[in-house]
Amino acid sequence: SDTDADTTTDADALRTPIVAVLGHVDHGKTTLLDRIRGSAVQEGEAGAITQHIGATAVPLETVSEMAGALVDPDDFDLPGLLFIDTPGHHSFSTLRARGGALADIAVLVVDVNDGFQPQTEEAIDILRRTGTPFVVAANKVDTTPGWNPQEGEPIQRSLEAQSDRAESRLNENLYELIGDLSDEGFSADFYWRVQDFQGNIGIVPLSAMTGEGVPDLLTVLMGLSQRFLKSEMSIDVAGPGRGTVLEVKEERGFGATLDAVLYDGVIRTGDTIVVGGQYDPIVTEVRALLQPRPNAEMRTEKRFEKVPEVAAAAGVKIAAPDLDEAMAGAPVRVVRDQTEEEVVAEVREELAEIEVETAED
Ligand code: GDP
């Protein structure tokens, strides 16, 4: 409409990079995500992190509060980090965007004692294939014999509190990890020794359990994003929303809904959207956009609140008619600057690409 055109002119903004967490089973992906959510809630004022549908937003101010001296917020203009809540490379490889990965950056979690395992290698292959920048979280440092845990501290502070013996035990494991990465063709080092993050993988020793090293991880992710992703983070905040379906879910009172991550533009109630379906793209109209209501009772209908619009990057639940045949992993697009037919054709093309790749797997 005309009003839309008026608001699109000066609207370039930087969006939040989308972060995925990958790694072998039991190496600590879920615990790490919980820790990031939990410690961000503790550090920040209420509402400092926002629970989205399928994702958690950690704003820059919260990263800098957690990271203390490690982060000077003036060095950054990206608004923070958006973590996809479903860890693992299955979700990583099915969640695509523009023919690439939905996630802009990844954390590869490796248990320091266990080292590289089959799913670690699979994850590495996928990260390599998609060209996704990543850091390695060398997790469970607290299980090093003789470890003296330093709850929530940056890793250097924690290392200062360790005996020489504990520190050298940890180092042995970390050097083994550097060796494993080198066998995979990646030059890697402790993140604080990495000068060129483009050619080298930074290793962040941490404990998802005690939180030591987690401030460092957030800092490194912000730094990497700022340096290497900034140009890709530029979005037209009033442009047509583009996203990827995480899940199709039946919700009482709404019927079939989409849980989606929006990576570009804005989506509004009443927008016409095109969604990838099992047979053909679905054209429908957004009835409601829903976000989790903080601290809501999980089994009532009141666990969501309606919002008039959502801007990238964000997770959102979309209620609209005719979504029963929508597909997880498929694109969702707002029809705004193009005709409906053009958008349908593009969604159909993207779906064909996804099918070819699934067939190749
Ligand atoms: P996922 O399968 O990769 O998501 O792994 P989980 O997060 O479920 O963790 C697997 C197990 O390792 C759980 O029992 C966790 O409590 C434990 N764990 C995860 N991170 C740490 C850590 O940093 N230190 C210790 N001691 N245990 C951890």
Side-chain angles (χ1 to χ4, degrees):
S1 69
D2 294 346
T3 37
D4 282 346
D6 290 343
T7 52
T8 34
T9 39
D10 61 340
D12 262 19
L14 294 170
R15 72 160 168 85
T16 318
I18 300 170
V19 188
V21 176
L22 288 79
H24 193 71
V25 63
D26 283 345
H27 280 198
K29 300 177 291 294
T30 311
T31 311
L32 180 62
L33 281 164
D34 286 348
R35 180 77 203 188
I36 289 167
R37 278 194 288 264
S39 39
V41 168
Q42 265 176 11
E43 291 283 337
E45 297 117 51
I49 71 151
T50 332
Q51 196 56 50
H52 291 213
I53 295 289
T56 303
V58 184
L60 174 60
E61 305 81 71
T62 309
V63 173
S64 79
E65 271 173 56
M66 286 176 72
L70 295 177
V71 163
D72 179 351
D74 293 342
D75 292 343
F76 299 97
D77 47 19
L78 292 177
L81 300 164
L82 185 78
F83 288 86
I84 299 175
D85 285 341
T86 327
H89 53 262
H90 178 69
S91 66
F92 181 88
S93 45
T94 50
L95 297 178
R96 329 264 312 160
R98 308 140 292 189
L102 171 63
D104 302 297
I105 188 165
V107 178
L108 178 63
V109 178
V110 184
D111 180 330
V112 271
N113 304 297
D114 230 13
F116 263 45
Q117 294 298 326
Q119 290 165 356
T120 318
E121 315 228 342
E122 283 172 34
I124 288 254
D125 286 343
I126 294 169
L127 292 171
R128 197 196 331 254
R129 182 150 43 85
T130 52
T132 308
F134 67 98
V135 293
V136 172
N139 190 29
K140 308 197 188 184
V141 297
D142 62 296
T143 60
T144 307
W147 193 259
N148 176 14
Q150 306 292 309
E151 186 79 18
E153 291 291 337
I155 196 64
Q156 294 298 350
R157 287 253 197 92
S158 169
L159 291 175
E160 282 161 19
Q162 307 308 322
S163 65
D164 289 347
R165 186 149 184 173
E167 189 171 346
S168 73
R169 274 176 163 150
L170 173 64
N171 280 338
E172 263 172 50
N173 285 337
L174 291 172
Y175 279 114
E176 210 158 302
L177 203 53
I178 290 173
D180 287 338
L181 281 157
S182 156
D183 292 345
E184 290 289 333
F186 289 101
S187 145
D189 206 342
F190 303 117
Y191 86 86
W192 56 86
R193 297 208 299 225
V194 173
Q195 305 276 335
D196 164 24
F197 276 94
Q198 202 124 44
N200 298 278
I201 305 295
I203 296 180
V204 184
L206 59 81
S207 165
M209 194 80 106
T210 67
E212 49 209 309
V214 173
D216 307 66
L217 176 68
L218 296 175
T219 305
V220 174
L221 288 171
M222 279 306 302
L224 271 180
S225 305
Q226 184 75 27
R227 248 173 288 173
F228 301 119
L229 299 173
K230 194 176 155 180
S231 58
E232 296 163 43
M233 295 300 107
S234 178
I235 58 161
D236 174 0
V237 282
R242 293 157 178 260
T244 302
V245 178
L246 298 174
E247 234 184 307
V248 184
K249 270 192 190 159
E250 200 66 34
E251 295 294 348
R252 261 177 66 198
F254 295 105
T257 65
L258 301 180
D259 288 1
V261 168
L262 200 70
Y263 59 81
D264 199 5
V266 65
I267 184 168
R268 303 189 182 107
T269 307
D271 275 346
T272 299
I273 54 170
V274 181
V275 185
Q278 283 161 33
Y279 307 102
D280 226 9
I282 300 161
V283 181
T284 183
E285 191 172 292
V286 177
R287 283 237 170 108
L289 297 169
L290 304 163
Q291 291 287 11
R293 196 185 289 276
N295 309 318
E297 213 1 271
M298 280 316 272
R299 245 170 302 172
T300 69
E301 278 168 44
K302 296 261 160 64
R303 63 202 166 109
F304 303 116
E305 62 190 3
K306 292 187 187 175
V307 291
E309 65 172 46
V310 172
V316 63
K317 183 183 280 295
I318 301 169
D322 305 323
L323 292 176
D324 302 86
E325 276 157 12
M327 276 194 319
V332 44
R333 298 279 217 89
V334 170
V335 179
R336 195 167 299 137
D337 305 337
Q338 293 167 286
T339 65
E340 189 178 301
E341 290 68 33
E342 284 170 329
V343 178
V344 166
E346 285 180 15
V347 167
R348 196 171 279 140
E349 233 165 77
E350 272 188 57
L351 282 175
E353 272 172 40
I354 294 170
E355 266 154 34
V356 170
E357 276 166 27
T358 322
E360 281 169 355
D361 276 350

